[in-house]
């Protein structure tokens, strides 16, 4: 049974002894994306293209963390092993969310929550196509969008504290681990234990 408090507690516990890799992968990801986006024109396109690939890579790292598996820094680049699919999934979810946002902000938010599990699904099931992973995310999030939204909201206090230097180095890995644990919890509840 899903419990936000338990998910956050377990995520925090799983980070014990792994804060270095959690913070390191996040910083490297942020620096790479910032450097890419600084290149006017082609940089923005490259950022959009690579966002999906790195999201899967970070999902792999954080799933390894919350599952207490062996975790290596270079695992954040595993998204490149299935470059085409991960890239396409990132682009499609971005386009779909943008199109829904044209109707109004709320449909865009709802759809972004529907697609939120896509990189985690691709981390677990690299054999799936981009559209299959997006569909699986929509199915998985049916009845769970509100739970994820509240999970995000529960970090607002922490986000405010990010005005204090370096607090974000604690908050961001904590939130990312919590979302990874959220995925594992609802995946098990919906019995998505085998390839979809």
């Amino acid at each position: 049974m899903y419990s936000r408090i338990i998910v956050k507690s377990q995520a925090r516990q799983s980070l014990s002894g792994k804060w270095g890799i959690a913070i390191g992968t996040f910083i490297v990801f942020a620096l790479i994306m910032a450097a890419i986006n600084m290149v006017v024109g082609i940089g923005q396109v490259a950022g959009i293209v690579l966002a999906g690939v790195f999201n899967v890579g970070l999902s792999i790292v954080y799933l390894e963390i919350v599952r207490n598996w062996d975790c290596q820094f270079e695992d954040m680049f595993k998204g490149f092993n299935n470059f085409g699919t991960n890239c396409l999934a990132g682009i499609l979810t971005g386009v779909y969310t943008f199109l829904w946002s044209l109707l109004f902000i709320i449909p865009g938010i709802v759809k972004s929550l529907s697609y939120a599990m896509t990189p985690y699904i691709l981390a677990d099931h690299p054999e799936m196509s981009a559209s299959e992973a997006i569909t699986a995310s929509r199915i998985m999030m049916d009845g769970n969008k509100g739970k994820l939204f509240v999970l995000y909201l529960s970090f607002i206090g922490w986000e405010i504290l990010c005005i204090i230097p370096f607090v974000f180095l604690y908050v961001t890995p904590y939130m990312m681990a919590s979302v990874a644990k959220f995925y594992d919890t609802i995946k098990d509840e919906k019995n998505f234990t085998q390839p979809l």
Side-chain angles (χ1 to χ4, degrees):
M1 188 72 177
Y2 171 79
S3 164
R4 175 177 51 83
I5 293 172
I6 292 174
V7 161
K8 292 178 72 174
S9 174
Q10 290 176 339
R12 199 167 49 248
Q13 290 171 12
S14 67
L15 284 164
S16 178
K18 296 182 179 176
W19 279 102
I21 193 164
I23 293 171
T25 52
F26 162 66
I27 289 175
V28 169
F29 165 74
L31 290 175
I32 289 173
M33 295 308 292
I36 291 171
N37 287 316
M38 284 177 63
V39 181
V40 179
I42 195 170
Q44 281 75 25
V45 174
I48 292 169
V49 168
L50 292 176
V53 177
F54 276 113
N55 280 336
V56 173
L58 285 176
S59 297
I60 290 170
V61 169
Y62 277 89
L63 285 175
E64 290 172 343
I65 288 172
V66 300
R67 292 170 178 172
N68 294 313
W69 292 356
D70 182 43
C71 187
Q72 305 295 325
F73 176 81
E74 56 269 20
D75 291 349
M76 72 173 290
F77 298 103
K78 284 186 175 179
F80 285 90
N81 294 344
N82 200 14
F83 181 86
T85 299
N86 297 338
C87 172
L88 182 60
I91 292 172
L92 288 177
T93 55
V95 169
Y96 295 159
T97 301
F98 171 74
L99 292 176
W100 278 101
S101 297
L102 293 178
L103 297 177
F104 199 59
I105 294 173
I106 293 176
I109 293 172
V110 170
K111 283 301 176 180
S112 69
L113 293 168
S114 292
Y115 306 142
M117 299 298 104
T118 302
Y120 299 95
I121 291 169
L122 286 172
D124 271 345
H125 302 286
E127 75 282 356
M128 294 178 72
S129 69
S131 60
E132 286 173 337
I134 292 169
T135 300
S137 179
R138 287 195 299 104
I139 294 169
M140 187 179 289
M141 291 303 289
D142 184 32
N144 289 308
K145 290 185 285 292
K147 295 173 184 175
L148 181 59
F149 184 67
V150 171
L151 178 62
Y152 284 138
L153 285 180
S154 71
F155 283 94
I156 284 182
W158 282 110
E159 295 290 347
I160 293 171
L161 288 176
C162 284
I163 61 173
I164 302 171
F166 304 112
V167 170
F168 74 95
L169 294 178
Y170 171 81
V171 177
T172 305
Y174 178 22
M175 185 167 66
M176 293 172 74
S178 296
V179 175
K181 190 64 185 179
F182 172 89
Y183 162 78
D184 259 0
T185 302
I186 65 169
K187 172 179 67 72
D188 292 343
E189 285 183 0
K190 294 230 173 184
N191 200 29
F192 284 172
T193 54
Q194 299 298 322
L196 304 174

